[in-house]
Amino acid sequence: MAELRHIPVMLDEAVEGLAVQAGGRYLDGTFGRGGHARAVLSRLGSAGRLLLMDRDPKAIAAARDAFAAEPRVAIRHANFASLAEWDETAAGLDGVLLDLGVSSPQLDEAARGFSFMADASLDMRMDTTQGESAADFLAHAPEREIADVLWQFGEERFSRKIARAIVERRAESPLTRTGELSALIERVVGRREPGKHPATRSFQALRIHVNGELDAVRRGLDAALARLKPGGRLAVISFHSLEDRIVKQFIRDHSGRVQGSRRGPPQAAAPAELAAVGKAQFPSEAELAVNPRARSAVLRVAEKLAQAGHA
């Protein structure tokens, strides 16, 4: 599916959501292969500034190849969760773009171990310079922990059965290949969902766990809010309900709404810091016809308010 490799998801909607100003300062925390970044840069004038981050060394290499001679661009190899630690963000940002999850180049390169569609080393790390691989995790984690990961991050109904099978298998020989894990899951689960490989949920869960993705989203949203200037925009593209739920809740929690439940007394509202810009957006039929991988994408945009407590 090489034709899908460089297609940025919801490009026009995301860039429009940022409301790019020619002299503004913007951060793309998930460079990937730069589709969104190029669109933002095309709207910047000579005084504009574009900051690029990615935790994937190959993405950073691509960014440096593309923008080495561009004085308006700064590049940092790091997780977007640490964006507030970058000196370049200290002056404040007019916009932050986060395109969450795994990228098409990561999926399409079999050796990365993200996909069950080809046999490869069971790695799954976005940043291959640090952390433990999926194979490392499965080699030592207790059965209960493996089951919890599959259930919490993949919503896999057969998490306990799969975890038990993994532990039994590793007693004989370690799981080191995507093909081995995929075949094991298929034996345990069977093909119960038409059109969906039985390993889909488990591979998603392991990838999210190995890369600490949901924690990175929470930390990254906090960091983005801290660095955005009043009137600055936050645009986040999510690809599954676990991510989108965090983004939706974050915007709501910082919107100044009264917190609480129908069963208990209302809690005092925190000062409003963010306001949602429009409703959640989804890919158009035209985009889906060109890029089926966009089908689960959700874009949410919020603006930092000029004054705390301003509704």
Side-chain angles (χ1 to χ4, degrees):
M1 302 182 74
E3 72 275 9
L4 301 178
R5 184 179 299 270
H6 300 300
I7 302 177
V9 171
M10 301 186 75
L11 175 63
D12 293 339
E13 296 90 338
V15 177
E16 287 296 330
L18 288 175
V20 178
Q21 306 165 43
R25 194 177 190 88
Y26 297 87
L27 182 141
D28 181 346
T30 47
F31 176 79
R33 290 302 180 270
H36 294 104
R38 288 181 176 85
V40 173
L41 188 62
S42 72
R43 298 189 177 202
L44 294 180
S46 59
R49 188 75 166 156
L50 178 60
L51 312 181
L52 304 176
M53 299 181 74
D54 206 295
R55 64 194 301 187
D56 188 330
K58 291 194 174 184
I60 290 299
R64 288 175 176 151
D65 285 344
F67 299 113
E70 174 53 75
R72 296 173 297 172
V73 173
I75 301 168
R76 181 178 175 89
H77 176 212
N79 189 324
F80 64 77
S82 67
L83 71 87
E85 299 168 18
W86 189 6
D87 289 345
E88 284 276 2
T89 69
L93 300 169
D94 295 291
V96 174
L97 172 65
L98 302 176
D99 183 4
L100 304 177
V102 66
S103 68
S104 285
Q106 290 168 335
L107 283 172
D108 291 337
E109 187 180 344
R112 301 296 296 271
F114 287 106
S115 175
F116 46 78
M117 301 302 291
D119 185 47
S121 176
L122 187 58
D123 195 313
M124 297 193 186
R125 289 173 298 164
M126 292 178 178
D127 185 348
T128 52
T129 68
Q130 59 182 316
E132 67 172 5
S133 68
D136 293 335
F137 170 70
L138 293 179
H140 69 75
E143 180 179 327
R144 175 67 179 271
E145 184 178 358
I146 296 172
D148 286 348
V149 165
L150 300 184
W151 171 248
Q152 292 172 13
F153 301 145
E155 298 175 313
E156 172 55 71
R157 290 181 297 148
F158 302 97
S159 58
R160 292 181 181 178
K161 290 178 67 176
I162 295 170
R164 189 177 310 121
I166 288 171
V167 171
E168 290 173 353
R169 161 60 193 270
R170 77 185 185 193
E172 302 172 6
S173 61
L175 283 162
T176 61
R177 310 286 298 178
T178 57
E180 295 171 344
L181 178 59
S182 176
L184 180 149
I185 294 170
E186 188 166 2
R187 285 197 302 273
V188 172
V189 175
R191 288 192 172 268
R192 298 174 182 268
E193 296 181 68
K196 191 168 190 175
H197 194 283
T200 300
R201 297 178 188 276
S202 294
F203 269 64
Q204 172 188 295
L206 289 170
R207 188 203 84 216
I208 290 173
H209 173 72
V210 164
N211 293 289
E213 291 180 41
L214 301 188
D215 180 59
V217 173
R218 295 184 185 96
R219 292 165 51 213
L221 293 173
D222 284 336
L225 179 58
R227 285 295 192 240
L228 279 172
K229 300 175 183 176
R233 293 283 185 91
L234 171 67
V236 186
I237 302 172
S238 305
F239 286 87
H240 56 73
S241 59
L242 298 175
E243 294 171 338
D244 184 52
R245 195 176 301 139
I246 293 171
V247 178
K248 181 179 180 180
Q249 185 72 42
F250 180 83
I251 295 173
R252 186 169 65 186
D253 287 350
H254 291 83
S255 67
R257 295 184 184 179
V258 175
Q259 304 296 312
S261 69
R262 289 178 296 176
R263 295 187 178 89
Q267 304 297 313
E273 298 176 274
L274 280 177
V277 177
K279 297 181 179 180
Q281 299 180 62
F282 304 91
S284 66
E285 291 298 325
E287 177 170 2
L288 293 176
V290 176
N291 184 11
R293 285 183 177 170
R295 65 187 177 275
S296 59
V298 182
L299 169 66
R300 295 186 187 274
V301 179
E303 182 173 307
K304 186 168 182 177
L305 298 174
Q307 291 181 314
H310 175 67

